Amino acid sequence: MREIKKILIANRGEIACRIMWTCKEMGIRTVAVHSEADRDALHVKFADEAICIGPASSAESYLNIPAIISAAEITNVDAIHPGYGFLAESSTFATICEECNIKFIGPKPEIIKMMGDKVEARRTMQAAGVPILPGSPDPIADAEEAKKIAKEIGFPLIIKAAAGGGGRGMRIVREEKDLESQLETAQAEALAAFKDGSVYIERYIERPRHIEIQVLADEYGDCIHLGERECTIQRRHQKLLEEAPSPVLTAEQREQMGSVAVKACEEIGYSSAGTFEFLLDEDGSFYFMEMNTRIQVEHPVTEMVTLADIVYNQIRIARGETLSYKQEDVHIVGHSIECRINAEDPEKFTPSPGKITAFNIPGGPGVRVDTAVYPDYVVPPYYDSMIAKLIVQARTREGAIRRMRRALEMMVIEGIKTTIPLHQKIMENEKFQKGDFSTKFMEEFMEAENKKEKAEKASQ
Ligand code: MV4
């Protein structure tokens, strides 16, 4: 057992607040760190102590390891919670924390490092019995090797960056004649973006769904899963909304995906909360994509349908405790949907920072809002544009959609543009309501919306 009396939260925005709420419930003191641009941020106001760690730019503040470690030393914290983004998946940061005798709330640095290398993650998962797509076992050396693998797996195929993830630096190749040039482009892009030109090849699935399994594992090899999240609806590899459970997964598929993930965690010695991302094919087969070793933006939908507090479990595991419940104790109840509210122009998807002149948070049964903004707050232009998460829960998916529609109506944010109107339109979409969608949903949706608009203009 490790005593954790005080935690430094190395993050900002809604997730810093979210982590703080659980710390308060656990009687753990909190230290906020913030940039010069975040002096008026909510996470600063609610923390027991706050330290400025640098100027507005993330590179000099929320990514500044020496400044964060110094803040942790000065305030004498027992642990650091990294949240998501920033340093959450930096094995270097996790190692430095460990060397400074500060508990990093997350898995071991070696595991973070391994999952950061998508080729190694694929190999490890295959060895642990997780289904992967046919593809290259190692980074592609040259065009000859790429051609050889393409012969084995066929077209279309996808080239992905080993150091990538989240969709950056991917190329789809549909014909042999484009393979060599696309390989070169992919390698050059990977080198420019990640300082590592390694790429690998997989069979391409045309209309997949993105389904992920939440796991919790203690430091003694015990692991459970909390079911899945449906994360298919994305735009430019940014998730827009998530739900739990998936409208298409059967109990059998859930059990299969969950037990595969749990077994893999036990095999590799995973600890803390984690997420297995899977691609679900139209024929019902699923394949490992990536593993996230952090708390995720969309964790609330899992919390809603399982009644688990994932941050609470992360802290318990970090204290060296065993899991507080067994797989048999996990029950999925009802349906939850989360809409990400971004400070963005919903048509152009460009950032819309500025002062929030009017603000109302919806309430009532089955509604949760995770946010760090408040009336008269000025949304700074330097960071991620997500300013709130609106989460609802109801007995059924239909009920959750109805609840989300009224909650979106009652969610008022004035002074800046937000994605609220976009979410209203998605909730009204027939394909969405039927649960009939793939990763191409947003492209098809935007096209249909544009057509509607043109028709309306023409009839005027
Ligand atoms: C794929 C794929 C189809 N086949 N891999 C996008 C994010 C990154 N994690 C991997 N991604 C994809 N990988 C194979 N072999 C399709 C995507 C993909 C996607 C996946 C999930 C959600 C939205 C997506 C949008 C476009 C492409």
Side-chain angles (χ1 to χ4, degrees), residues 188-205:
E189 272 183 15
L191 189 64
F194 314 112
K195 301 189 192 99
D196 175 359
S198 311
V199 299
Y200 63 104
I201 290 178
E202 270 180 6
R203 191 175 85 208
Y204 180 66
I205 303 185

Side-chain angles (χ1 to χ4, degrees), residues 223-235:
C223 182
I224 59 169
H225 72 87
L226 301 178
E228 83 284 6
R229 291 186 285 262
E230 167 71 67
C231 303
T232 301
I233 298 187
Q234 309 191 4
R235 189 181 177 276

Side-chain angles (χ1 to χ4, degrees), residues 424-441:
Q424 284 286 24
K425 282 186 199 153
I426 295 174
M427 291 300 130
E428 288 159 22
N429 180 275
E430 195 186 317
K431 285 255 159 98
F432 174 75
Q433 290 178 357
K434 283 187 183 155
D436 173 19
F437 47 80
S438 77
T439 52
K440 296 212 162 70
F441 175 82

Side-chain angles (χ1 to χ4, degrees), residues 133-134 157-158 160 165-168 170 172 200-211 231-237 239 277-279 289-290 438-440 443:
L133 279 159
L157 55 78
I158 184 164
K160 296 182 178 181
R168 289 185 302 169
M170 301 189 326
I172 299 157
Y200 63 104
I201 290 178
E202 270 180 6
R203 191 175 85 208
Y204 180 66
I205 303 185
E206 205 67 62
R207 301 180 68 87
R209 296 176 83 111
H210 174 144
I211 291 178
C231 303
T232 301
I233 298 187
Q234 309 191 4
R235 189 181 177 276
R236 294 192 189 151
H237 304 298
K239 291 170 188 158
E277 293 186 353
F278 291 108
L279 285 174
M289 205 167 26
E290 288 173 26
S438 77
T439 52
K440 296 212 162 70
E443 289 159 47

Side-chain angles (χ1 to χ4, degrees), residues 43-56:
H43 76 286
V44 173
K45 295 182 198 291
F46 281 103
D48 294 308
E49 291 167 75
I51 294 191
C52 182
I53 49 166

